[in-house]
């Protein structure tokens, strides 16, 4: 499988997204996008938003040599890739490590709130001067050929809400209007053999990822899976250990969250492979930020934008690859810092869309819609 094509292969001009104060796409550029219709018709993205911000230490970047107040109560385990370790809470993914890549150096220095990271990951930038930028799936949906009734851009089970503030969460079409907003599908997956359902797990995570597989198999281009669509007052990846607001702890990672995630994502990768869909489907799993290197007094970790991780599979991605590295406490990148917008650019690049080739008007200035390049190291 070759990496995403450059935008020149689709011959899309820089005029595409330039309109006064809002983001737009001209009819001429829609025709240019249509020249890449076969690519858009064939390829898929499943973006698994681990809403709440999972701890890098309890998932994809454990630090077994760190002091206990940093490494936490769990061990690191070896994987199918020599020298690559995951947290012990992800044993099934550890067995499949040769089938995905990890990014261990995501970072940004904006406000450490959920909505900031959610915008940066899904839109490639923060709203500015009143301009809300479109979710990557809205860009793909507008470019996708209209050949079936299957929605091009779906969010499961519903749009994010109650994530802490009332800021934009990055899951709308922004200035394009509601026509290109993702379609919400709160209903569960349609009938499947019991063995398939059991493989994903009879859990919330399992049902969501099984439904995501069904959608890409039916032709949906972009599926965004909100593992949690609201965060307040429930156990989520937002593990502050605060009984009144975010009660999750690292022990909930160990006992519930990670085992369910491990089973569901492993089953998704197996299922896509078995059905011949994995090479054409890019699977990305990450949160909007990481967690503090030091455990707090409630067996939790707080918001941390300095460093966190992502898992990327499918699409011919080089299995076992690791992009970037964190320091001894997983608090900062020490190699190849990765901006969240590079994740956005990678998902768009999978469809042959280069956000740098389009401009957005912000007041009196024009800037690139997505100010980042795809992570081409994934296909090295």
């Amino acid at each position: 499988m070759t990496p995403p094509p450059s935008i020149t292969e689709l011959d899309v001009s820089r005029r595409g997204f330039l309109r006064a104060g809002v983001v737009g796409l001209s009819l001429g550029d829609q025709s240019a996008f249509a020249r890449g219709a076969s690519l858009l018709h064939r390829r898929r993205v499943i973006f698994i938003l681990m809403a709440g911000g999972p701890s890098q230490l309890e998932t994809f970047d454990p630090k077994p040599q760190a002091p206990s107040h940093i490494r936490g109560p769990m061990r690191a385990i070896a994987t199918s890739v020599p020298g690559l370790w995951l947290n012990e809470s992800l044993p099934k993914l550890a067995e499949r490590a040769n089938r995905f890549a990890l990014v261990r150096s995501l970072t940004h220095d904006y406000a450490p709130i959920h909505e900031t990271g959610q915008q940066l990951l899904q839109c490639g930038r923060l709203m500015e001067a009143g301009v809300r930028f479109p979710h990557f799936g809205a860009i793909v949906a507008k470019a996708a050929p209209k050949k079936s009734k299957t929605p091009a851009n779906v969010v499961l089970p519903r749009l994010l809400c109650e994530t802490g503030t009332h800021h934009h969460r990055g899951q709308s079409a922004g200035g394009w209007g509601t026509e290109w907003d993702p379609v919400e599908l709160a209903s569960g997956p349609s009938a499947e053999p019991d063995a398939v359902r059991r493989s994903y797990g009879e859990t919330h995570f399992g049902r969501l990822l099984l439904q995501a597989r069904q959608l890409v198999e039916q032709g949906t281009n972009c599926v965004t899976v909100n593992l949690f669509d609201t965060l307040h007052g429930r156990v989520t990846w937002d593990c502050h250990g605060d009984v009144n607001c975010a009660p999750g702890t690292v022990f909930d990672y160990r006992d519930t969250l990670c085992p369910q995630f491990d089973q569901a994502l492993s089953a998704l990768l197996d299922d896509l492979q078995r059905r011949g869909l994995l090479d054409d489907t890019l699977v990305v799993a990450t949160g909007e930020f990481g967690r503090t290197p030091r455990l707090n007094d409630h067996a939790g970790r707080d918001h941390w934008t300095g460093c966190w991780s992502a898992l990327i599979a499918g699409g011919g991605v080089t299995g076992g690859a690791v992009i970037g590295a964190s320091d001894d406490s997983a608090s900062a990148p020490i190699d190849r810092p990765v901006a969240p917008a590079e994740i956005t650019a990678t998902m768009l690049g999978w469809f042959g869309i280069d956000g740098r080739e389009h401009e957005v008007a912000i007041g009196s200035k024009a800037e690139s819609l997505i100010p980042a390049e795809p992570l081409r190291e994934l296909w090295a």
Side-chain angles (χ1 to χ4, degrees), residues 3-326:
S6 68
I7 199 67
T8 56
E9 294 177 57
L10 298 186
D11 191 28
V12 181
S13 79
R14 291 181 63 82
R15 295 175 295 117
F17 290 92
L18 181 57
R19 284 175 58 183
V22 297
V23 181
L25 182 64
S26 72
L27 291 176
D29 289 313
Q30 286 179 335
S31 298
F33 271 126
R35 289 193 282 274
S38 62
L39 197 67
L40 286 161
H41 175 74
R42 189 173 72 246
R43 291 187 170 180
R44 312 281 183 260
V45 163
I46 298 175
F47 176 58
I48 302 166
L49 180 57
M50 303 170 76
S55 165
Q56 63 277 24
L57 290 140
E58 271 73 38
T59 55
F60 307 133
D61 194 11
K63 299 295 179 181
Q65 304 304 318
S68 60
H69 63 276
I70 291 173
R71 72 171 183 268
M74 289 180 266
R75 300 179 299 113
I77 56 172
T79 71
S80 58
V81 176
L84 181 63
W85 297 72
L86 293 182
N87 191 281
E88 68 172 317
S89 61
L90 302 173
K92 293 181 182 294
L93 287 172
E95 293 173 358
R96 294 161 176 80
N98 58 347
R99 294 165 54 189
F100 58 76
L102 293 177
V103 178
R104 282 177 164 170
S105 55
L106 277 161
T107 185
H108 77 75
D109 57 5
Y110 297 99
I113 59 175
H114 298 283
E115 296 79 8
T116 296
Q118 290 159 3
Q119 288 182 57
L120 290 171
L121 278 173
Q122 297 175 104
C123 306
R125 58 190 308 154
L126 296 178
M127 66 178 295
E128 184 176 349
V131 178
R132 292 188 176 196
F133 301 101
H135 180 271
F136 74 91
I139 299 172
V140 174
K142 198 163 189 178
K146 308 300 183 294
K147 292 186 178 179
S148 73
K149 295 181 180 179
T150 303
N153 181 25
V154 170
V155 62
L156 301 176
R158 59 185 61 84
L159 296 172
L160 293 169
C161 64
E162 294 183 350
T163 54
T165 75
H166 296 293
H167 287 81
H168 179 43
R169 299 181 180 93
Q171 293 196 327
S172 74
W176 287 353
T178 58
E179 178 183 1
W180 304 108
D181 281 347
V183 174
E184 297 175 277
L185 289 179
S187 60
S190 56
E192 287 276 347
D194 288 343
V196 174
R197 289 178 178 274
R198 287 195 300 270
S199 70
Y200 281 83
E202 292 288 355
T203 65
H204 179 64
F205 292 174
R207 288 186 288 272
L208 287 174
L209 295 196
L210 175 53
Q211 190 175 6
R213 190 273 290 163
Q214 291 177 337
L215 286 166
V216 296
E217 191 170 36
Q218 293 163 11
T220 296
N221 292 96
C222 298
V223 181
T224 298
V225 181
N226 292 327
L227 292 185
F228 295 103
D229 54 88
T230 181
L231 302 178
H232 185 75
R234 61 194 301 194
V235 171
T236 71
W237 302 109
D238 195 24
C239 62
H240 292 284
D242 181 346
V243 174
N244 297 315
C245 181
T249 70
V250 294
F251 296 107
D252 290 303
Y253 277 52
R254 180 194 66 189
D255 299 336
T256 306
L257 298 174
C258 285
Q260 292 183 7
F261 175 78
D262 186 49
Q263 179 170 359
L265 182 52
S266 296
L268 175 66
L269 299 182
D270 292 349
D271 206 6
L272 290 171
Q273 178 91 43
R274 183 167 51 250
R275 294 169 187 269
L277 297 170
L278 190 59
D279 280 349
D280 290 328
T281 305
L282 193 68
V283 179
V284 179
T286 190
E288 60 266 40
F289 46 53
R291 313 304 298 188
T292 48
R294 181 183 290 269
L295 286 166
N296 64 28
D297 293 338
H298 308 288
R301 299 184 189 270
D302 301 312
H303 297 181
W304 189 258
T305 66
C307 193
W308 77 99
S309 304
L311 180 152
I312 304 177
V317 164
T318 302
V322 178
I323 297 175
S326 65

